[in-house]
Amino acid sequence: MSIYQHFRQEEHDFIDQVLEWKDTVIEQYASKLTDFLDPREQEIVKSVVGNHEDVKLAFHGGAEGAERKRALLYPPYLEPTAEDFQLKAYNLSYPEKFVKIEHRQVLGSLMGIGLKRSKFGDIYFHDSSIQIVLSAEVSAFVEMQLQEVGKVKVSLNELPLEEITSTVTSWEEASTTAASLRLDVMIASIYNLSRQKAQLLIGGKKVKINWKLVEQTAFECQEGDILSVRGFGRSKLLTVDGKTKKDKWRIIVGKQK
């Protein structure tokens, strides 16, 4: 039975990459550290590596409850430590009395200095500070290049990883019905919008499924998918429970609090 049949077509390239990592560990008997993976990619790595006796697997994202994490595939003789994940944490200071910085601005500024999204982890917002987790190999570059966010001057101070405080995601469950599992129909049902509005959001590049931008209104959603709609928050398809007498799908959805 092929491992590919459990995954969407667009995930097959990533599966090939994971199979390569796995083979490298087996052949070279050495560990392989990945970039930051989103939760969907982490699930794929777990499925592909499975319970292989020659390849062990661990994840670390800098803090308990981190969403984005690096994976370490390693031979059984190794005992991985936090250092093996090569993470660095920083506090982003700025004059918070006078300005407010938003998550998308920090994200945009990090990408704007030429950093790939896979090179940094979660961004945490607290009352008077912003904390970010980076791959150690890009930390010196970021220290030098990241001097402002939006138009606001910022400074980076390194933090011990233990001082990163993550925010735990909790989901509020609700049930809904939908005529189909198409993305535009699902967004309309979950967020109580017209289907036309849902289509505009998808066309406007404001919708992600499992952390990837999706622009097809007819994209077929599946149980377990995480939908993120800019301006409306994040939700998760917890269960798709078969059909009602009126031929609609019964869906239990979790909305992020």
Side-chain angles (χ1 to χ4, degrees), residues 7 11 32 34 64 111-112 114 148 185 221 234 257:
F7 300 98
E11 294 174 327
K32 163 69 189 167
T34 74
E64 194 67 46
M111 308 278 277
E148 51 182 40
V185 175
C221 297
R234 203 185 265 181
K257 288 185 186 174

Side-chain angles (χ1 to χ4, degrees), residues 18-28 55:
V18 180
L19 288 166
E20 271 179 38
W21 296 339
K22 185 175 166 180
D23 290 345
T24 302
V25 175
I26 294 166
E27 288 162 17
Q28 299 180 4
V55 185

Side-chain angles (χ1 to χ4, degrees), residues 123-142:
I123 302 167
Y124 302 107
F125 279 73
H126 304 291
D127 289 342
S128 58
S129 72
I130 299 170
Q131 296 174 334
I132 57 174
V133 182
L134 302 170
S135 301
E137 64 269 21
V138 298
S139 58
F141 170 76
V142 175

Side-chain angles (χ1 to χ4, degrees), residues 25-122:
V25 175
I26 294 166
E27 288 162 17
Q28 299 180 4
Y29 223 53
S31 56
K32 163 69 189 167
L33 178 64
T34 74
D35 282 343
F36 283 96
L37 307 175
D38 64 44
R40 175 64 182 167
E41 290 167 334
Q42 293 165 37
E43 285 304 315
I44 293 173
V45 174
K46 283 180 201 164
S47 297
V48 175
V49 172
N51 293 321
H52 199 292
E53 59 182 27
D54 292 327
V55 185
K56 301 292 175 205
L57 184 60
F59 295 94
H60 195 358
E64 194 67 46
E67 192 172 85
R68 302 179 72 88
K69 298 173 185 170
R70 298 187 89 168
L72 186 71
L73 290 77
Y74 61 96
Y77 71 87
L78 275 182
E79 282 291 325
T81 64
E83 283 72 46
D84 292 323
F85 290 89
Q86 296 173 33
L87 300 170
K88 286 217 174 176
Y90 289 88
N91 199 46
L92 203 66
S93 320
Y94 66 101
E96 76 274 352
K97 284 191 180 72
F98 308 106
V99 283
K100 188 170 169 21
I101 287 180
E102 293 177 5
H103 186 279
R104 62 186 176 82
Q105 292 174 305
V106 180
L107 195 62
S109 297
L110 286 164
M111 308 278 277
I113 60 172
L115 207 59
K116 287 199 177 106
R117 185 62 188 95
S118 57
K119 290 297 181 188
F120 58 100
D122 292 351

Side-chain angles (χ1 to χ4, degrees), residues 173-176 223 236-241 250-254:
E173 286 188 26
S175 57
T176 185
E223 193 168 280
K236 182 175 187 176
L237 293 190
L238 298 171
T239 56
V240 177
D241 272 342
R250 265 193 220 93
I251 292 156
I252 307 277
V253 69

Side-chain angles (χ1 to χ4, degrees), residues 111-252:
M111 308 278 277
I113 60 172
L115 207 59
K116 287 199 177 106
R117 185 62 188 95
S118 57
K119 290 297 181 188
F120 58 100
D122 292 351
I123 302 167
Y124 302 107
F125 279 73
H126 304 291
D127 289 342
S128 58
S129 72
I130 299 170
Q131 296 174 334
I132 57 174
V133 182
L134 302 170
S135 301
E137 64 269 21
V138 298
S139 58
F141 170 76
V142 175
E143 280 181 32
M144 207 163 57
Q145 297 291 331
L146 188 67
Q147 295 176 355
E148 51 182 40
V149 170
K151 297 268 189 296
V152 183
K153 288 266 182 263
V154 296
S155 58
L156 284 178
N157 306 302
E158 198 176 333
L159 279 178
L161 282 180
E162 307 78 68
E163 287 183 30
I164 287 280
T165 39
S166 71
T167 38
V168 179
T169 302
S170 56
W171 303 93
E172 199 174 305
E173 286 188 26
S175 57
T176 185
T177 57
S180 83
L181 298 176
R182 279 173 57 114
L183 181 56
D184 55 349
V185 175
M186 295 304 298
I187 287 173
S189 300
I190 293 168
Y191 297 98
N192 209 3
L193 302 169
S194 71
R195 194 158 157 197
Q196 190 183 10
K197 171 73 172 164
Q199 289 170 350
L200 283 171
L201 289 164
I202 296 163
K205 302 189 178 191
K206 294 195 162 91
V207 176
K208 289 183 178 178
I209 299 271
N210 301 327
W211 293 269
K212 303 281 184 287
L213 188 68
V214 175
E215 295 178 73
Q216 301 84 33
T217 50
F219 183 93
E220 193 84 358
C221 297
Q222 296 175 359
E223 193 168 280
D225 280 346
I226 305 268
L227 283 71
S228 170
V229 183
R230 198 188 305 159
F232 294 89
R234 203 185 265 181
S235 56
K236 182 175 187 176
L237 293 190
L238 298 171
T239 56
V240 177
D241 272 342
K243 293 198 166 181
T244 65
K245 286 182 182 143
K246 291 185 175 170
D247 207 34
K248 286 192 163 187
W249 290 100
R250 265 193 220 93
I251 292 156
I252 307 277

